[in-house]
Amino acid sequence: MIAEIHTITLAGIHAQTIQIQVQIAPGIASFNIVGLPDSAVKESRDRIRGAFHALGIALPAKRITVSLSPADIHKEGNHFDLPIAIGLLKVLKIVPHDHIPQSLFLGELGLDGSIRGIVGALPAAIHAKTKQFENLFLPQANGNEASWVEGVAVYPCNHLKELMHHLQNKIRLTTAQTPEVSAPTSPENQLDFSDVRGQEFAKRAAEIAAAGGHNMLMCGTPGSGKSMIAKRMVGIMPSLSSQEILDISMIHSIAGLLPDHGIIHQKPFREPHHTASAVALCGGGLKAKPGEMSLAHGGVLFLDELPEFPRQVLETLRQPLETGEITVSRANHHVTYPANFQFIAAMNPSPCGYLGHPSIPCTSTPKQIQNYRNKLSGPLLDRIDLHVDVAPVSIEDMQLPPAKENSATIKKRVDQAYALQTQRYKQASISKNSQLYGALLDQYCPLSADCITLMQKASEKYAMSARGYHRILRVARTIADLAGAQNIAKPHISEALMYRYIPYKPL
Ligand SMILES: Nc1ncnc2c1ncn2[C@@H]1O[C@H](COP(=O)(O)OP(=O)(O)OP(=O)(O)O)[C@@H](O)[C@H]1O
Ligand SMILES: [Mg+2]
């Protein structure tokens, strides 16, 4: 006899149904799992044996074969224990067949029969809904995240025995209830722009970046407030849509980083250190996991001390900055994760940090400064619309009263500018000004004659490239949106010109 049962495997953030067939046939005692299982799946055998032993169930001394299909997809993860165990219970006629055809099972087994938490329960629940599975049996630890998906009966369970009794109709497991979400708790969501004294220019740049979704590079002497501003960015960015909440939560579910209540409803802020490896940023590794760039999806990826990152790590940013996705190569296949983040970076003007400081002398040589800056490649800088010179804070600045404007006031303006963009780009494939390129720029950023004259003068004065020109247009469009203006005007371009790339300040 053959028992059939269903679970999932993950490809990027999406789940795919895996059918498991379990057969017990006469022959030499063996327990084989076929269908491209990875080592964690193969080890299921020993965990299942242990759990069955704890339940007082002996596996027959026969040939046990577990087949995972489709056979040509790599199966990764520790969640295969539970479905295989239920398949065995079914083929051994310990549990009846009803319930099982419309159900998905996921869970890792402990040797004592306990069911342990897994990653990817949220994508599994979404998959269960789209593929019309009625029930989802998963570990207690994953109940909250799966409960956010409506239309599927989610049964969190603690122990294999409990689930067995439920399937035998001896007890009734209760379905998961959607938990209450408490107020924002992450530190970045509690930081406020009113803490930043002075720095009006940099704060304005942050507002423009938030409103148009522009990437931003801040350059300034140590202790001028660059990290402070970056950490406050998520507090002024437009709120997440429900689709974004789902996507972000799915990525965190796969990384095993969801909070207790099981959903992420605030913009993520990720700040990997410059010693982080390319794998930590991109994802992948031995067990395919989303990296920092994907964990920042929908929020901010902040790279502090940008030139300190190894160049090959910085180059990995290019694909996600262009496509909003990152593809990770695995042994025999590729995995693609979403990585549509807003890129915010900070750096000092020179290796010693003090180039341009009014009182502290710079001790770096021109050669050192050149090498430091050369670490940032042209193509990377091209993807950054706003280049902001952050001035040193003076003691007078620090003695100013706290800024009157707080993050909530700035966010209101950002929200209004963002609403104008969504309205304008309804028919286009984009949603914000930072995504304007090529023909879309011509269509959405028409310039009047005096604006064209100003741009021509600026391009001659600053030796502006075509890319630089487009960058100014995109930023000017956002500045116009913040002002509620229909068309780009001269003051918007003049302001946008202040955020152009300043390649090398003279000593
Ligand atoms: N504009 C400011 N308003 C209020 N406090 C400030 C300001 N700038 C700096 N500080 C104080 O200095 C500390 C360091 O600031 P921050 O870490 O943002 O500097 P930074 O520009 O990132 O420096 P570094 O180049 O060394 O990384 C802050 O924690 C804060 O206490
Ligand atoms: Mg800093």
Side-chain angles (χ1 to χ4, degrees), residues 231-270:
K231 287 190 174 132
R232 283 157 180 77
M233 284 292 296
V234 285
I236 59 165
M237 283 161 65
S239 308
L240 293 170
S241 66
S242 43
Q243 184 59 46
E244 284 172 322
I245 290 178
L246 213 57
D247 287 347
I248 294 168
S249 300
M250 284 210 280
I251 297 168
H252 283 72
S253 168
I254 291 166
L257 293 175
L258 278 179
D260 283 348
H261 55 72
I263 201 107
I264 297 218
H265 53 101
Q266 299 151 21
K267 295 220 163 217
F269 176 85
R270 304 294 301 187

Side-chain angles (χ1 to χ4, degrees), residues 226-227 304-305:
K226 302 182 293 296
S227 305
D304 208 351
E305 323 292 352

Side-chain angles (χ1 to χ4, degrees), residues 9 32 70 75 109 123 126 209 277 367 408 466 483:
T9 193
N32 288 315
K75 324 294 184 303
L109 286 177
I126 292 167
S277 64
K367 179 87 183 138

